[in-house]
Amino acid sequence: MYTPATYEEALELKRHLSGLNLKYVHFHDQCGGQYFEFDEADPATEKAVIDYFAGKGLTPRFTDDKLRFILDDGK
């Protein structure tokens, strides 16, 4: 099931990816829901995001083009 992220969680992810010298992630919080977005797809950044959220019990669900994702708590 889709689970929303807090602004602080988005900032933590941004710091984490920056510390690994990976791609910058944008966080969009709109009436229709939240999502994360990259300017360009990158397998190393995708893996880092998956690993980062796995430790929090969340699974990122990426679009086919690997540019956007939402979070799923598996419930």
Side-chain angles (χ1 to χ4, degrees):
M1 169 184 247
Y2 165 76
T3 186
T6 66
Y7 187 66
E8 184 57 38
E9 289 169 327
L11 289 175
E12 287 176 24
L13 175 61
K14 288 173 181 267
R15 286 190 289 267
H16 177 72
L17 295 177
S18 176
L20 296 173
N21 293 318
L22 295 171
K23 302 294 180 188
Y24 183 81
V25 64
H26 303 275
F27 178 60
H28 300 277
D29 188 7
Q30 303 171 347
C31 294
Q34 301 170 329
Y35 64 96
F36 294 85
E37 182 175 36
F38 298 108
D39 292 329
E40 61 184 274
D42 174 62
T45 303
E46 179 184 351
K47 182 176 179 346
V49 167
I50 292 168
D51 292 347
Y52 177 81
F53 283 113
K56 298 178 178 291
L58 299 169
T59 302
R61 300 289 179 206
F62 287 87
T63 55
D64 289 341
D65 62 8
K66 306 296 185 184
L67 293 177
R68 286 172 227 84
F69 68 91
I70 61 169
L71 298 174
D72 186 340
D73 65 6
K75 295 179 183 172

